[in-house]
Amino acid sequence: MNKVLKKIGAGVVDILIIVLILLSIIISISSITAKANNGVPDLFGYTPFTVQTDSMKPTMSKGDYIFVKECDTEALQVGDVVTYFAIIDGNRVINTHRISDVINDNGMLQYQTWGDNRETNPEPDDTLLAPGDVIGKYNGTRIPVLGSVIDYLSTQMGFFLVILLPVLLFTLYQIYKLIAVVLYNRKVDMINAANEATSDEVKEAIIAEYLAKQKNEETEDKND
């Protein structure tokens, strides 16, 4: 039973380590590509973002990790969910809302956007969206809560506590196990060598005792 539990525990630890390594890879790639692409990450052709508010509930919630894909901005239609650059409270941020209207002013396209959550967004967005500000179209893929996790892991403290420290401890543990195996094998070799030496000594003692006994018998025969 203990062996089974140990195997299960070891398997769980291995899976957690693999997950942490994958998360660290995602964070590293996203961070590097974002710095080189105006703050927009690129993960194997998709752009991942963490949803920062509940303005798109129930389509997506705060903390969700969503994926958008670069698209033909002139082909966008009413109902499409897009991620784009927006000015909110004087700050340039990345936002995700649904297109509620397409406005064509003498060939100049603009999009009216609106958050799905009518409690927080009772009216459409004040500023019309220009095609050049669109980052990509939401493809419907979202992973609940993962965005919040990745945001925390992206901080120095989170990365150290959740990724770097466990991987370091796991590596040290594997080194300890390797050293323990090497020392155990050396001990086994020493015991085997000692046993072999002892066996030879025992054999020599038996032969010596037999020869001495034979010699004594021959001496007794001569005396008789």
Side-chain angles (χ1 to χ4, degrees):
M1 184 67 178
N2 289 334
K3 291 183 178 179
V4 174
L5 291 177
K6 286 182 179 179
K7 288 183 178 180
I8 293 175
V12 171
V13 171
D14 289 341
I15 291 173
L16 288 176
I17 292 297
I18 292 173
V19 170
L20 291 177
I21 291 174
L22 289 175
L23 287 176
S24 67
I25 292 173
I26 290 173
I27 293 171
S28 299
I29 294 176
S30 297
S31 177
I32 293 172
T33 55
K35 289 180 180 179
N37 193 29
N38 198 25
V40 178
D42 184 354
L43 189 64
F44 309 114
Y46 288 88
T47 303
F49 291 107
T50 298
V51 179
Q52 301 296 333
T53 70
D54 283 327
S55 66
M56 280 296 290
K57 255 188 169 183
T59 304
M60 58 187 71
S61 302
K62 181 179 179 179
D64 288 353
Y65 202 56
I66 66 171
F67 295 84
V68 303
K69 184 77 172 175
E70 187 176 349
C71 62
D72 180 3
T73 57
E74 294 185 358
L76 291 171
Q77 302 175 356
V78 172
D80 289 338
V81 177
V82 291
T83 298
Y84 54 93
F85 290 109
I87 302 298
I88 299 178
D89 296 330
N91 298 314
R92 189 170 187 258
V93 298
I94 293 176
N95 198 30
T96 300
H97 276 177
R98 189 181 301 277
I99 294 176
S100 59
D101 192 14
V102 178
I103 301 168
N104 191 333
D105 185 8
N106 295 322
M108 181 179 293
L109 288 175
Q110 288 183 304
Y111 303 108
Q112 179 73 66
T113 54
W114 198 348
D116 287 356
N117 190 342
R118 293 297 185 262
E119 292 183 5
T120 59
N121 296 72
E123 300 292 336
D125 299 329
D126 294 332
T127 305
L128 295 177
L129 174 63
D133 289 329
V134 176
I135 297 172
K137 179 180 175 181
Y138 172 57
N139 69 350
T141 302
R142 71 182 181 96
I143 305 176
V145 184
L146 181 61
S148 295
V149 173
I150 289 181
D151 280 355
Y152 176 70
L153 296 181
S154 298
T155 64
Q156 290 184 347
M157 182 61 71
F159 188 83
F160 175 76
L161 290 178
V162 183
I163 293 182
L164 189 59
L165 185 59
V167 171
L168 178 61
L169 292 176
F170 179 76
T171 302
L172 292 176
Y173 177 66
Q174 293 302 318
I175 293 174
Y176 164 77
K177 286 175 61 177
L178 178 61
I179 293 174
V181 170
V182 171
L183 293 177
Y184 175 78
N185 289 336
R186 286 186 178 179
K187 184 177 180 181
V188 170
D189 292 340
M190 291 175 64
I191 292 174
N192 291 335
N195 289 336
E196 290 178 0
T198 301
S199 298
D200 292 338
E201 291 175 359
V202 171
K203 290 177 182 178
E204 291 177 358
I206 293 174
I207 293 173
E209 183 181 355
Y210 174 76
L211 293 175
K213 184 177 181 181
Q214 288 292 104
K215 187 175 182 180
N216 290 335
E217 289 178 354
E218 290 176 359
T219 301
E220 288 176 359
D221 289 342
K222 289 180 180 179
N223 290 336
D224 290 343

